[in-house]
């Protein structure tokens, strides 16, 4: 968690996990007209780099992320990802982008994840 600078639009929470597993939840709050993930994705990239660089963080990385879209339809589902250390290290070796781009390295990395989508849609107008 120390790899991610604090920002009012991003809530980062350490999650309880089994031995040998690092688990974090990211929740970004974004106005409807803004680009979702603009704060969360660079923060996740910092965590991926930090995890890859430190074997003491375990053999598995779990990330749960969600973007709360305010003032309109929220099309972004809560999503959970689980990667083995080897996949995170391969992503770091391939080149984790500083910006949000879906390059070949990123595509391969997310293809390696065990992914669960929690289907949720709706409008967060009042939040």
């Amino acid at each position: 968690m120390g790899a991610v600078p604090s920002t009012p639009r991003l809530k980062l929470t350490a999650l309880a996990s089994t031995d040998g597993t690092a688990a974090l939840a990211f929740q970004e709050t974004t106005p409807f007209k803004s680009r979702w993930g603009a704060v969360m994705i660079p923060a996740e990239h910092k965590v991926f780099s930090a995890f890859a660089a430190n074997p003491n963080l375990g053999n598995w990385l779990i990330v749960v992320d969600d973007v709360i879209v305010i003032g309109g339809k929220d099309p972004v589902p809560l999503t959970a990802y689980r990667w083995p250390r080897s996949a995170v290290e391969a992503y770091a070796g391939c080149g984790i982008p500083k910006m949000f781009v879906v390059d070949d390295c990123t595509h391969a990395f997310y293809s390696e994840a065990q992914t669960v989508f929690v289907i949720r849609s709706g409008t967060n107008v009042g939040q």
Side-chain angles (χ1 to χ4, degrees):
M1 285 181 52
V4 178
S6 179
T7 174
R9 288 184 44 207
L10 182 66
K11 179 180 177 186
L12 184 60
T13 306
L15 301 174
S17 59
T18 59
D19 285 341
T21 301
L24 296 169
F26 294 79
Q27 184 181 60
E28 176 181 331
T29 302
T30 299
F32 179 68
K33 303 255 183 201
S34 296
R35 186 177 203 295
W36 67 266
V39 175
M40 180 177 65
I41 292 167
E44 287 178 344
H45 288 182
K46 289 178 195 268
V47 167
F48 300 151
S49 294
F51 183 84
N54 186 349
N56 293 327
L57 293 175
N59 292 318
W60 293 94
L61 176 62
I62 295 173
V63 169
V64 178
D65 67 21
D66 192 21
V67 177
I68 305 300
V69 179
I70 304 300
K73 189 160 180 73
D74 185 345
V76 186
L78 175 68
T79 308
Y81 303 94
R82 180 178 181 243
W83 292 277
R85 168 165 288 287
S86 60
V88 184
E89 290 174 345
Y91 189 33
C94 186
I96 299 171
K98 299 214 184 296
M99 304 289 290
F100 175 65
V101 292
V102 183
D103 59 6
D104 290 342
C105 293
T106 301
H107 181 72
F109 178 62
Y110 279 90
S111 295
E112 289 283 322
Q114 294 175 328
T115 306
V116 175
F117 297 99
V118 178
I119 305 302
R120 175 188 55 88
S121 63
T123 303
N124 294 315
V125 177
Q127 294 183 357

